[in-house]
Amino acid sequence: MYEKMYHTLLNAITDAIELLETEETQEALARLEQASRDAEELYISQ
């Protein structure tokens, strides 16, 4: 479970960094918020 949560969040952070480099701040924020919800859902469902 924690490995899946880790990968979910790490991928989102990587995506957000790339988006921030191209000044797509709203999309970066949305990506991080969605990853947070996804990780929380993984935790709750276990």
Side-chain angles (χ1 to χ4, degrees):
M1 168 184 61
Y2 290 110
E3 185 175 328
K4 178 69 173 162
M5 290 170 57
Y6 171 80
H7 287 289
T8 297
L9 294 172
L10 182 64
N11 287 338
I13 291 167
T14 302
D15 291 348
I17 289 169
E18 291 175 3
L19 288 164
L20 289 170
E21 288 173 347
T22 60
E23 299 182 12
E24 297 177 65
T25 54
Q26 289 299 96
E27 185 62 30
L29 179 59
R31 180 70 183 97
L32 292 171
E33 289 173 337
Q34 184 61 50
S36 177
R37 287 190 293 273
D38 293 346
E40 183 177 13
E41 183 60 36
L42 285 169
Y43 181 77
I44 291 170
S45 69
Q46 293 299 318

